[in-house]
Amino acid sequence: MQVAEARHEAALAAAEARHLRDQLAARDGHIEDLRSALRALSPGAGAHRAR
């Protein structure tokens, strides 16, 4: 019974890790979208960074 419980707990932990990974990837995508929008709104900022 302990082995089955341990496997169940491991499966739950793996599912939670996948969920958190997916949330983090989505957040990173949103951040990149915001950065792109900001660059589009302020084209001079890109030129300043290149110097």
Side-chain angles (χ1 to χ4, degrees):
M1 189 66 168
Q2 290 178 348
V3 172
E5 289 175 3
R7 285 183 179 156
H8 179 70
E9 290 293 323
L12 290 176
E16 179 67 12
R18 284 190 299 272
H19 174 70
L20 292 173
R21 180 198 63 205
D22 293 345
Q23 281 187 329
L24 188 60
R27 187 204 65 182
D28 288 346
H30 291 309
I31 289 172
E32 189 54 41
D33 290 346
L34 291 171
R35 285 181 177 153
S36 294
L38 184 58
R39 281 192 295 268
L41 291 173
S42 50
H48 179 71
R49 282 192 200 149
R51 288 185 205 168

